[in-house]
């Protein structure tokens, strides 16, 4: 092959390569622009209440089924959702948008989805949770029907663009209405659209210090309990005794041995220890005295133990089977008793509670700028002293 021919082929190959690169860049830019435009249009429809535009967004606008004769039937999704959440303040002015952002994660059936709810100031917590958990998350965010709601969506979009873990693992569902702090409604929305066999109800202010998803999915005893549908697995919750020590999650202990050292030094305590009915049935003293897997791998593997003294104010953070489990009572609104009501319904449905021996979560300290919330916290304190 002559030098001229080799030079000609090299030029052709280079042109092809450059052309392919340019095509990739243009295609990528188009897809990104289309995605942003679609998101912008959906947002305008969401804030304007334009159902015809929302219907062409990211979810099917009808609920369809086939009867015994093969006939097709369908209902508007808004009708289905209004019936599903009829015990709440859900109304014609409300909108529930499932999968406003849908994650890239294709979860296997036997997985654990964290079910949580967030407000605008907790979006960074959600990003932090996604990066730490490395598993499916179904999150509901409430927005108001005004400029504040649009600002919230701006912040959410920025977080999704900047955080690869959120894009990979987090499904975002939006509740848009004028009713604030309907926490059980928001929980039910996140649970309804969770895409795995099991769910964990978790408050967004908690940080999962251990890889409990892996430990549960690889524990034969734990999985047998979950598969039965008659068990919920409790992950003990802690908080720092001095609230300022809980501001930076990067300083939190990441194994049971380090946690127990802080516990014995009275630097960490059970969550809301001032309100014993809330978490005392977990039996923290028993949990602390179970050897750590890190130190004694053969002794703690099967030390899952039952909660023997359940009472109606108990509100641990639990993993349980999604399908067939009861829903949270949406008549509870505001702060206090809403999550306890969820768990009490789970208990009276026949589900027993079992405590995981090696995993734990820690509360991340935050301020309560909301004056109403501060008053509610004081009321809970007063009730605890009365009891």
């Amino acid at each position: 092959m002559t030098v001229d021919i080799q030079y000609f082929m090299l030029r052709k190959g280079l042109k092809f390569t450059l052309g392919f690169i340019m095509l990739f860049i243009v295609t990528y830019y188009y897809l990104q622009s289309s995605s942003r435009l679609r998101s912008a249009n959906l947002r305008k429809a969401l804030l304007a209440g334009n159902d015809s535009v929302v219907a062409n967004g990211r979810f099917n606008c009808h609920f369809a089924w086939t009867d015994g004769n093969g006939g097709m039937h369908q209902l508007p999704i808004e009708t289905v959702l209004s019936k599903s959440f009829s015990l709440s303040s859900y109304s014609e002015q409300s909108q529930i948008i499932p999968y406003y952002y849908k994650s890239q994660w294709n979860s296997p059936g036997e997985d654990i989805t964290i079910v949580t709810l967030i407000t605008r100031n907790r979006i960074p917590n959600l990003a932090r949770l996604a990066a730490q958990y490395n598993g499916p998350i179904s999150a509901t965010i409430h927005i108001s029907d005004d400029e504040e709601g649009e600002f919230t969506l701006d912040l959410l979009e920025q977080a999704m663009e900047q955080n690869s873990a959120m894009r990979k693992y987090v499904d975002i569902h939006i509740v848009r209405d004028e009713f604030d702090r309907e926490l059980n409604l928001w929980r039910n929305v996140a649970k309804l659209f969770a895409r795995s066999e099991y769910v964990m109800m978790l408050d967004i202010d908690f940080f999962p210090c251990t890889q409990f998803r892996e430990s549960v999915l690889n524990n034969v005893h734990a999985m047998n309990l979950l598969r039965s549908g008659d068990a919920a697995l409790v992950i003990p919750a802690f908080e720092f005794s001095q609230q300022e020590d809980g501001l930076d999650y990067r300083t939190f202990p990441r194994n049971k041995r380090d946690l127990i050292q802080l516990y014995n030094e009275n630097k960490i305590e059970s969550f809301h220890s001032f309100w014993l009915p809330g978490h005392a049935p977990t039996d923290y003293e028993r949990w602390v005295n179970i050897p750590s897997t890190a130190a004694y791998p053969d002794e703690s593997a099967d030390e899952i133990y039952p909660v023997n003294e359940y009472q109606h104010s108990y509100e641990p953070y639990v993993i349980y089977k999604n399908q067939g489990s009861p829903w949270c009572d949406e008549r509870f609104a505001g702060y206090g008793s809403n999550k306890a009501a969820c768990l009490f319904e789970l208990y009276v449905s026949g589900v027993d509670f079992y405590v995981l021996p090696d995993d734990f979560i820690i509360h991340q300290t935050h301020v309560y700028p909301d004056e109403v919330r501060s008053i509610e916290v004081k009321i809970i304190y007063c009730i605890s002293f009365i009891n």
Side-chain angles (χ1 to χ4, degrees), residues 12 16 82 110 112 124 128 245 269 324 356 373:
K12 294 290 286 184
F16 174 79
S82 65
E110 281 210 325
I112 303 167
R128 197 176 304 145
D245 292 339
E269 58 192 45
L356 295 174
R373 173 65 186 271

Side-chain angles (χ1 to χ4, degrees), residues 13-251:
L14 182 60
K15 287 182 179 180
F16 174 79
T17 302
L18 290 174
F20 179 80
I21 292 174
M22 289 300 297
L23 177 63
F24 174 81
I25 292 173
V26 171
T27 303
Y28 177 80
Y29 177 77
Y30 171 78
L31 292 174
Q32 290 293 99
S33 299
S34 299
S35 176
R36 290 192 182 97
L37 180 61
R38 185 167 61 250
S39 177
N41 289 337
L42 181 59
R43 178 185 306 180
K44 290 177 182 177
L46 174 65
L47 293 172
N50 188 335
D51 294 333
S52 63
V53 179
V54 172
N56 295 318
R58 300 180 185 177
F59 68 101
N60 195 333
C61 63
H62 287 89
F63 175 80
W65 71 96
T66 305
D67 63 26
N69 298 320
M72 289 292 297
H73 305 271
Q74 62 182 19
L75 283 172
I77 192 68
E78 286 299 315
T79 301
V80 176
L81 292 176
S82 65
K83 174 58 180 175
S84 300
F85 304 107
S86 58
L87 289 179
S88 70
S89 298
Y90 189 91
S91 67
E92 292 182 356
Q93 287 70 44
S94 304
Q95 277 189 301
I96 294 176
I97 311 297
Y99 306 113
Y100 184 79
Y101 287 103
K102 190 171 185 179
S103 72
Q104 303 161 353
W105 182 255
N106 292 317
S107 178
E110 281 210 325
D111 208 335
I112 303 167
T113 297
I114 287 181
V115 170
T116 191
L117 49 95
I118 62 171
T119 50
R120 183 170 66 201
N121 61 341
R122 295 295 190 273
I123 292 175
N125 294 47
L126 182 60
R128 197 176 304 145
L129 177 64
Q132 171 68 6
Y133 185 58
N134 289 322
I137 299 171
S138 180
T140 301
I141 182 168
H142 175 262
I143 66 168
S144 54
D145 186 14
D146 54 22
E147 292 182 357
E148 288 296 315
E150 189 167 3
F151 179 55
T152 300
L153 291 177
D154 280 335
L155 293 179
L156 184 60
E157 182 177 10
Q158 292 172 21
M160 294 298 293
E161 290 180 348
Q162 296 170 5
N163 192 289
S164 60
M166 287 184 67
R167 296 193 300 273
K168 183 174 182 179
Y169 297 117
V170 182
D171 290 335
I172 300 284
H173 321 291
I174 290 178
V175 175
R176 165 194 164 270
D177 57 30
E178 60 182 327
F179 307 108
D180 196 15
R181 296 146 72 84
E182 290 202 292
L183 306 182
N184 279 354
L185 165 64
W186 304 347
R187 287 190 178 102
N188 283 344
V189 170
K191 179 176 180 286
L192 177 63
F193 297 110
R195 295 186 283 146
S196 67
E197 187 74 16
Y198 312 107
V199 293
M200 180 195 182
M201 191 187 304
L202 183 68
D203 290 348
I204 196 63
D205 292 321
F206 278 89
F207 186 78
C209 298
T210 59
Q211 298 298 324
F212 65 79
R213 174 170 166 261
E214 292 181 10
S215 65
V216 170
L217 293 175
N218 292 312
N219 187 310
V220 174
H221 185 195
M223 290 305 298
N224 286 339
L225 287 170
L226 287 178
R227 291 184 186 116
S228 73
D230 298 325
L233 304 179
V234 176
I235 300 182
F238 294 84
E239 65 180 344
F240 280 89
S241 302
Q242 299 297 320
Q243 293 297 295
E244 60 269 20
D245 292 339
L247 290 170
D248 187 354
Y249 72 97
R250 291 167 295 188
T251 66

